[in-house]
Structures are given as structure tokens and as C-alpha cells.
Amino acid sequence: MDALKKLFGGNTRQFGMIFALVALIILFQILTGGLTLTPDNVINLFNGNSYILILAIGMVLVIIAGHIDLSVGSIAAAVGIIVAITMRDWHLPTWVGILFGLAIGAVIGVWQGFWVAYVGIPAFIVTLAGMLIFRGVNQFIGQSNTVPVPQDFQYIGAGYLPEIGPDTGYNNLTLLIGFLGVAFVVYSELRNRREAKQLGAEVPELWVTVTKVVLICAAILYATYLFATGRPGTSFPIPGIILGVLVLIYGFVSAKTIIGRHIYAVGGNRHAAELSGVQSKRVNFLVMMNMAILSALAGMVFVGRSTASGPFDGTGWELDAIAAVFIGGAAVTGGVGTVIGSIVGGLVMAVLNNGLQLLGIGADRTAIIKGLVLLAAVAFDVYNKSQGRRSIIGLLMRNGSNRAVPAQPDETTKTSEVLAKEA
């Protein structure tokens, strides 16, 4: 048990979902006779869930700040139909259409952020109203019709990296991305060890670092192999490139910037954050506007993949995004959560959906299973908090030892202390 804690770090609640994801993949790989980890299935799984993962990135910041957004699916549908119609009627270039869609998302975000941050209406009510308003906008503007988009626009939702360079039997650009990912992991671990030594902090044992790097790099290389060996014409999907860039940006913003610390502080204790100098209204405004922009992007990615915008786009997306965030370790009460955790939670739901479909399980039983998984994940989080623990390992140690395990301060408490010192 100590070896696991050393290997994956102190915040073991995060890697608990990674264990669940790996277990699900292995289980369905066995039950489906090896169909789960075929290149075509992995590519389709990733393509079919990329828009939900994009929504999860924005939703985790909303939930960390202590809010909820029920309008993301309707915003995506409204932006999708507006962009499809304007590109059809005005003959806009693809890049102009994308920028136009993001601008519409920003305007919607300003609208909702104003009511939440400066009028003080709870985000649940504002976004519930938004869900109705923007669903109506989709129906009114589109006249409940399906509007196709140009082939160039479809590339952002259904495109793949092109074939370049010599014929290696693999997609060379996909291989390059995989090797860059491995290099980034190795560099990050070496840099972390060097910085820890310079600061005089505790440095993990060498075997811990080596084992961790080997496991992560092996996973990256295997995924690279699957993406690079799909059917002719496929490779690493363009939505995956978009998602990867967003994960890097938002992971950095949430963990390394002032605005990221302020979001955690507001979600953990708004009054304490305000006493520390945090402008909570500004934070709430920004997270709501950001969510609307990402909803617009997710809507356009989906329209690109489906080749057209329709009246039923976005239905239920908000529930999938919220489920991904909570399964990924975010706290219901706010103040806790990570971008990577939300992506892992989204992948858990995606693998679950995909595996059940491969097994021929109907939509009715699939919905029941997904609901039970979400309920179990949140219940486990609440139980751990009630016991003063934050992780699966903490629960296992409780059963294997009679000594008490002291409660550890969570990320919100640490952030509030830092902000108080800065003030």
C-alpha cells in the first residue's frame, strides 16, 4: 500500500478513477472478445465522445466555483444551427464560421454570467432558463430542420491527421505526437525532481519515478499504436488535437495561475476568499462565460462530425458533462476538482457506454447502469469526507490498521491559507 502511495502521489483519490478506467477497459476487452481495444473502436470511441470531454473541461471549473450549468447542450445546439445557416447562406470560410460561433458563445456567456455574478441569481436557475431559451432559439432559427455544413467545416469534428513523410506503415504525425508525449512526461518528471531537490523538499525514490514514467509512457505508446494503425484514411482525430490543447491550457490555468487559485477559493469558501481580496463576482462571471464558449466549440465539433446541425443536437449533454466531472473526483459542494480528473471521468463513461453497446445491452439498461455508477461515485466521495479521508487507499488502510488516520486539508483549505497570507 505504501508503494502505491509513493508511486501515484498523496492525492490517491485522483488515481482511483484511473484504476476504475483501466479495470473497465480490461473487463470489456475480455467480455467482447478483444473488440474494445481494436484501433477502429478506439478511434470511434474518442471521436464520438470528444464533445462531451470538451464540455467537461468547462464544467469542472463551474462546479469548482460552486455552481452548475444546465444550459450547455442547448447553447451548443443554438450555436450549431446559427453557424450552419450562416455558412450556408453567407458562404463564410470555415475559419470565419468557427470564430463566429465562438463569438456567439461569448455573448451568451456574458448574458448568463451577468445574471449569476452581478444580479445574484443562482446559476442553477439562470442556466435552467438558458436551457429553455437556447433550445427555443435552435428550434426557431432552424425551423426544426436539419442544416448541412460544408465539407471543410466537417474536418474539425471528423477529420484526421494527414499522411506525410515516408511510408512506415503507420501514420507518421500520430507517431510524432506519441513520441512528443513521451518526451514531455520524461522531461516533466525530471524537472519536478530537480526542482524538489533545489527547494530541499522530499524527493521520491528513483524506482518510484522510473516506474511511474514507464507506466505512463507505455500507455501513451500503446494508444499511439492504436491510433496509428486504424483503417486507411484514419489516424489521430482532429477533435483529439483540439481536446489535447484545451487540456494543456486549462490544466495550466487551473493549477498554476492566480485566476485558477481564485476559482478554487471562491468554491471552497466565498466569504473567506472575498476577505482575502478575491473578486468573487469577476470569478463567477468568467467561469460562466468560459463555459458558454466551450459549449459553442463542442457544438461545432459535433456538427462537424455529424455533417449537419439538427433540432435534437445537445439533448442530455449537460448531464453527461456533469456526470464526467463528479465521477472524475470533483466535490458536490465545490472547491475540489481537476481538469485531468474530469477527462478521466468522461472516459469512464465513454468506455462504459461503448462496452455495453458492444455487448448488445439496450439503451434502457445502459441508462440504469450509468445512473448507478454516478450515484456510487458521488456517494463514495461523500462517505470519504464524512470519515475525514480523501482516497480509496485511505479507506483500505482503515480496514487494515487500528490506528487513526488524521484528516488531511483539502485543496480549498490550502488555497484559502495561501490567499490569506498573500493578503
Side-chain angles (χ1 to χ4, degrees):
M1 205 62 66
D2 290 338
L4 284 176
K5 292 185 69 176
K6 288 180 180 180
L7 185 59
F8 292 96
N11 189 4
T12 49
R13 189 159 63 99
Q14 294 296 329
F15 71 78
M17 275 298 105
I18 297 179
F19 285 164
L21 176 60
V22 173
L24 274 178
I25 292 173
I26 294 174
L27 175 64
F28 285 125
Q29 178 73 356
I30 295 172
L31 294 179
T32 61
L35 296 178
T36 299
L37 289 179
T38 59
D40 290 346
N41 185 65
V42 171
I43 291 173
N44 290 334
L45 183 150
F46 206 87
N47 266 340
N49 293 276
S50 57
Y51 60 93
I52 295 297
L53 298 178
I54 291 173
L55 290 176
I57 294 174
M59 189 66 74
V60 69
L61 298 181
V62 172
I63 290 175
I64 289 172
H67 305 297
I68 204 79
D69 194 331
L70 300 177
S71 65
V72 296
S74 296
I75 293 174
V79 171
I81 196 68
I82 292 173
V83 170
I85 290 177
T86 53
M87 292 190 70
R88 181 195 65 187
D89 296 345
W90 299 352
H91 306 290
L92 298 177
T94 294
W95 66 272
V96 175
I98 294 173
L99 292 179
F100 182 57
L102 294 177
I104 296 172
V107 171
I108 294 173
V110 168
W111 164 262
Q112 297 202 137
F114 168 76
W115 290 106
V116 173
Y118 296 105
V119 179
I121 301 177
F124 180 88
I125 301 300
V126 172
T127 58
L128 179 60
M131 180 175 67
L132 300 174
I133 292 170
F134 299 115
R135 177 59 58 184
V137 168
N138 170 271
Q139 303 285 337
F140 176 76
I141 294 179
Q143 298 296 309
S144 298
N145 294 322
T146 298
V147 180
V149 292
Q151 188 171 1
D152 289 345
F153 190 86
Q154 298 173 18
Y155 188 71
I156 69 169
Y160 299 95
L161 292 177
E163 297 283 352
I164 64 171
D167 183 8
T168 61
Y170 305 94
N171 180 267
N172 293 328
L173 284 179
T174 301
L175 293 179
L176 178 61
I177 290 177
F179 294 149
L180 288 176
V182 169
F184 177 77
V185 169
V186 174
Y187 169 76
S188 298
E189 287 298 323
L190 292 178
R191 183 190 61 185
N192 291 340
R193 287 183 63 87
R194 182 175 65 251
E195 291 178 352
K197 289 180 179 179
Q198 291 175 350
L199 295 173
E202 182 180 357
V203 180
E205 299 173 27
L206 184 60
W207 73 266
V208 172
T209 300
V210 172
T211 305
K212 181 179 180 180
V213 168
V214 168
L215 289 176
I216 296 176
C217 290
I220 292 175
L221 291 175
Y222 184 64
T224 300
Y225 168 78
L226 292 176
F227 283 114
T229 57
R231 66 183 183 277
T234 63
S235 60
F236 194 73
I238 297 302
I241 300 294
I242 297 173
L243 180 64
V245 172
L246 291 176
V247 169
L248 291 175
I249 293 174
Y250 282 90
F252 175 80
V253 169
S254 62
K256 302 293 185 180
T257 66
I258 293 175
I259 185 62
R261 294 202 300 271
H262 286 184
I263 292 172
Y264 280 98
V266 169
N269 190 323
R270 181 174 63 85
H271 297 295
E274 290 175 345
L275 290 174
S276 301
V278 176
Q279 299 180 21
S280 62
K281 291 182 178 180
R282 179 187 175 193
V283 169
N284 291 331
F285 180 83
L286 288 176
V287 296
M288 297 306 296
M289 185 175 72
N290 175 74
M291 183 72 259
I293 294 173
L294 289 181
S295 299
L297 177 59
M300 289 187 288
V301 168
F302 178 81
V303 168
R305 172 171 169 76
S306 58
T307 71
S309 176
F312 301 108
D313 293 353
T315 303
W317 290 10
E318 57 278 343
L319 303 181
D320 288 334
I322 292 169
V325 172
F326 284 140
I327 291 174
V332 180
T333 53
V336 177
T338 63
V339 171
I340 294 296
S342 298
I343 296 299
V344 172
L347 289 175
V348 168
M349 297 297 285
V351 171
L352 187 62
N353 268 330
N354 178 260
L356 293 174
Q357 289 174 1
L358 291 176
L359 291 174
I361 304 298
D364 49 357
R365 286 181 289 174
T366 297
I368 293 172
I369 294 172
K370 288 170 60 179
L372 291 174
V373 170
L374 173 60
L375 183 63
V378 176
F380 187 76
D381 176 72
V382 172
Y383 175 78
N384 275 345
K385 287 185 176 181
S386 70
Q387 299 299 310
R389 298 177 182 84
R390 301 174 51 229
S391 68
I392 295 174
I393 300 302
L395 181 62
L396 294 176
M397 291 177 65
R398 176 175 179 267
N399 294 331
S401 174
N402 293 325
R403 59 186 180 86
V405 180
Q408 300 177 0
D410 61 15
E411 291 87 343
T412 304
T413 304
K414 295 176 182 177
T415 304
S416 299
E417 293 174 352
V418 171
L419 290 170
K421 291 179 181 179
E422 290 178 350

